[in-house]
Amino acid sequence: MMFFIVVIICVIITLYILDNVLPHKYPTGPTRFPLIGNYLEIRKLRNKLGFYHLVWDHLAKCYGQVFSVKLGRLEVVVVSGYDAVRQVLCKDDFDGRPDGFFFRFRAFYKRLGIVFVDGPEWTEQKKFCMQHLRKKGFGGDLMEKLISEEVDDLILHLNKRYEVQNGKPIEVCGLFDVSVLNGLWTMLIGNRFALNDSRLAKLMKLVHASFRMLDMSGGILNQMPFVRFLAPKCSGYKDIKLILHEFYTFLKESVDEHRDKINDQEDFIGAFLMEIEKNRESPKSFSEEQLLVVLLDLFLAGSETTSSMLSFVILLLLKHQDVQTKAHAELDAVVGDREVQLEDRNKLNYLEAVLMEVQRHSNVAPLAIAHRSIRNTSIQEYIIPKDTLVLASIWSIHMDKQHWGDPEVFRPERFLDSSGNVINDSWFMPFGVGRRRCLGEVLAKTNLFMFIAKLLQHFEFKVPQGVQLPDKSQDGVTISPSAFSGIFIPRRDIN
């Protein structure tokens, strides 16, 4: 018995030493422990600070802007600061995506989709998706028309609620979910959902819940997959499995409904099904599973972040009535009584500055989607081995005190020069930079401008009497505002 105990102690000591003997010029970090790495320390800091990006900021102050941690058996390098982050995002050596249990679990235990793949498969899928989305209007006049119609439908809905409910407050979080998704979904399959679609509302609640359950590394399921056997509920495994089942059931029904349109290549799903037929002998790149995961990626990427960002805009306009007043005045002077169009964006400099400042200040995506080194490479003076997971803190750039002066202050004027023109600051990167920057950037920017410009034109946003607006947001893969409500008071009829 004593011999057995001694052996276990020796094994633990050996693992401890091996875990803390780092390769030459590899970034340092906090002390690692066998099997769990730095999990407990990071969990403790996360509970104390409330957000993972604040954990990375805290550790950066201790170990430098490039440091390492071990999450379970997962090697992770975290980078902060303008130079290091841009190097990661712009250097081809870091174009890989994470390849762990969670990322395969969500994709039928394979490497599928468009967000969490790399190499030739990513290039092929990106080319196909962009080609067929452009056919359906992505980035063009048709996209503007589709989004404008969604905003008009939402405005009609808000006006009716104001009349029927005598100006009662409206819960803002979740308000934009269906409207935002409709623009993308119409381009994908030619259909849109009603604002009161109960099934879609349920799915969007699942989207928000899943984003809150994880972090950018894939969470404990990716760091220590064995935990799912010990604690299927606490680890999130059981809930995520149910959420994925709900989504794939919904998406498969959408695919099955479009099988009769397989000869209609103008329909994204139809075009993909045609491609599957052409590639029957080599189904790896084009298969029904691949189609379902691509749709899941687009569904999630095209809805949650934009919906959260729109909610943040409303929240900050409620908090800063003076900013809202200036935006109203600019809209009245530049656009007047006619409907806002996307081309007005170039003339509405103050509104553009407001939207930029909301993105900088709220940091909906505080970390870029995780990168992976595809070969042995370097960051600054550090050597990074192949297959190291790299987390790049966009938050550290947007909240850099030396560059912004008062980053914690919401001040749209920081994006305007003395002549009132918009400043294109390279430190502003809400969609990332480089080859793997957000694919939906054009759609997200169009949504952001059209929704807010048209809503501001039609409504004045007021804080309900006696209501305290939230100061703390919700952490997860992305940041979202805590629940809040506002009163949408109609301004006037627009011709």
Side-chain angles (χ1 to χ4, degrees), residues 129-264:
C129 287
M130 298 308 294
Q131 175 185 339
H132 287 278
L133 284 174
R134 287 192 185 104
K135 283 183 180 180
K136 297 300 293 181
F138 186 87
D141 293 340
L142 179 57
M143 183 176 77
E144 178 188 351
K145 180 176 180 292
L146 292 173
I147 293 173
S148 185
E149 289 173 353
E150 292 303 327
V151 186
D152 291 343
D153 195 28
L154 180 60
I155 289 171
L156 183 62
H157 170 73
L158 290 171
N159 273 319
K160 285 182 179 178
R161 285 188 63 172
Y162 184 84
E163 292 174 5
V164 172
Q165 298 179 1
N166 297 316
K168 287 184 178 179
I170 291 173
E171 177 60 46
V172 175
C173 295
L175 177 65
F176 301 103
D177 287 349
V178 177
S179 300
V180 167
L181 184 62
N182 268 340
L184 175 63
W185 210 242
T186 304
M187 284 184 279
L188 283 174
I189 64 175
N191 295 336
R192 65 182 299 274
F193 302 97
L195 287 177
N196 60 353
D197 189 301
S198 58
R199 187 175 185 189
L200 190 63
K202 178 184 176 182
L203 284 173
M204 288 308 302
K205 285 183 179 179
L206 293 176
V207 170
H208 295 307
S210 65
F211 271 66
R212 305 283 74 78
M213 292 166 63
L214 300 166
D215 64 80
M216 197 55 80
S217 73
I220 194 172
L221 287 178
N222 204 50
Q223 300 160 14
M224 293 177 276
F226 64 86
V227 173
R228 72 188 188 276
F229 299 116
L230 305 175
K233 180 68 177 177
C234 295
S235 66
Y237 175 73
K238 187 175 181 180
D239 289 336
I240 292 173
K241 188 174 182 179
L242 289 173
I243 289 171
L244 287 172
H245 175 74
E246 288 280 348
F247 269 108
Y248 282 130
T249 299
F250 167 77
L251 293 172
K252 191 171 189 314
E253 288 175 1
S254 298
V255 170
D256 290 342
E257 288 171 5
H258 283 72
R259 287 191 186 280
D260 59 342
K261 298 181 181 179
I262 196 167
N263 293 318
D264 179 10

Side-chain angles (χ1 to χ4, degrees), residues 23 58 110 117 121 134 223 238 249 266 298 309 315 348 352 368 372 390 402-403 479-480:
H58 172 84
K110 301 175 184 177
V117 294
E121 290 82 7
R134 287 192 185 104
Q223 300 160 14
K238 187 175 181 180
T249 299
E266 294 303 312
L298 294 173
M309 182 59 67
L315 177 61
L348 294 166
E352 182 68 8
R372 178 179 57 85
V390 183
Q402 288 189 332
H403 181 76
I479 304 298
S480 66

Side-chain angles (χ1 to χ4, degrees), residues 330-452:
E330 183 183 57
L331 275 163
D332 293 344
V334 174
V335 180
D337 289 339
R338 67 171 174 80
E339 286 286 357
V340 175
Q341 298 175 348
L342 187 58
E343 63 184 19
D344 293 321
R345 184 178 167 189
N346 295 326
K347 296 172 282 187
L348 294 166
N349 290 344
Y350 185 74
L351 179 57
E352 182 68 8
V354 169
L355 298 180
M356 292 170 74
E357 178 67 345
V358 172
Q359 293 172 82
R360 183 202 67 81
H361 188 270
S362 61
N363 286 293
V364 166
L367 299 176
I369 293 177
H371 286 241
R372 178 179 57 85
S373 53
I374 57 176
R375 60 181 69 91
N376 293 338
T377 185
S378 63
I379 301 172
Q380 297 177 352
E381 71 270 25
Y382 300 102
I383 294 175
I384 311 299
K386 180 184 177 183
D387 290 328
T388 301
L389 193 71
V390 183
L391 301 179
S393 175
I394 303 296
W395 181 90
S396 70
I397 298 174
H398 285 172
M399 301 303 287
D400 186 283
K401 195 171 183 65
Q402 288 189 332
H403 181 76
W404 302 104
D406 54 352
E408 70 287 347
V409 175
F410 180 73
R411 184 167 56 84
E413 288 78 10
R414 74 175 76 247
F415 285 106
L416 297 173
D417 62 20
S418 57
S419 301
N421 297 314
V422 175
I423 297 172
N424 293 311
D425 194 320
S426 65
W427 287 62
F428 175 68
M429 52 178 77
F431 299 97
V433 293
R435 229 164 55 102
R436 302 229 48 170
R437 69 188 295 153
C438 177
L439 288 176
E441 180 176 353
V442 173
L443 177 62
K445 286 181 174 179
T446 304
N447 268 314
L448 195 56
F449 174 78
M450 292 299 291
F451 271 89
I452 297 304

Side-chain angles (χ1 to χ4, degrees), residues 272-287:
F272 206 105
L273 291 171
M274 289 281 287
E275 205 65 28
I276 292 173
E277 290 298 317
K278 292 178 188 176
N279 293 272
R280 282 293 179 190
E281 295 182 4
S282 56
K284 181 180 178 182
S285 293
F286 289 91
S287 64

